[in-house]
Amino acid sequence: MADNARDAEDSRESEPLAGGEGFGLEAYLERQHAEFANGPTMAELLARADRRRACGMGVSRDSIVRIQRELRDEGERV
């Protein structure tokens, strides 16, 4: 019986979705790669963050530390 269940699971992984795409791990990873392949590089993301900080749009390091400490302290009280 366990073998039959495994065979059924294996066959489902290669079945196409309604749109013709598979839903196994490999198909999922291919879709993720296609989605992110043309996205910004890490260097571009960091440069964008630097520009935002320079314009005052970012969150200061002190604010981040303060919020983290508040959340930690709140968690300790619970």
Side-chain angles (χ1 to χ4, degrees):
M1 174 141 172
D3 291 330
N4 291 342
R6 266 190 236 112
D7 291 339
E9 288 175 11
D10 292 341
S11 66
R12 281 195 309 253
E13 287 184 20
S14 60
E15 290 177 7
L17 294 173
E21 294 183 24
F23 60 93
L25 177 60
E26 188 173 340
Y28 167 76
L29 293 174
E30 287 174 5
R31 288 192 302 274
Q32 291 296 307
H33 180 267
E35 182 178 341
F36 294 112
N38 295 322
T41 64
M42 183 57 77
E44 292 168 335
L45 291 172
L46 293 173
R48 185 184 309 164
D50 288 342
R51 285 193 303 275
R52 288 184 177 184
R53 264 194 302 276
C55 295
M57 295 175 62
V59 178
S60 73
R61 186 173 291 167
D62 293 334
S63 294
I64 293 170
V65 171
R66 180 182 49 78
I67 292 168
Q68 287 177 328
R69 287 181 177 155
E70 288 173 5
L71 292 172
R72 180 196 61 206
D73 294 344
E74 182 180 310
E76 289 175 358
R77 285 191 295 262
V78 173

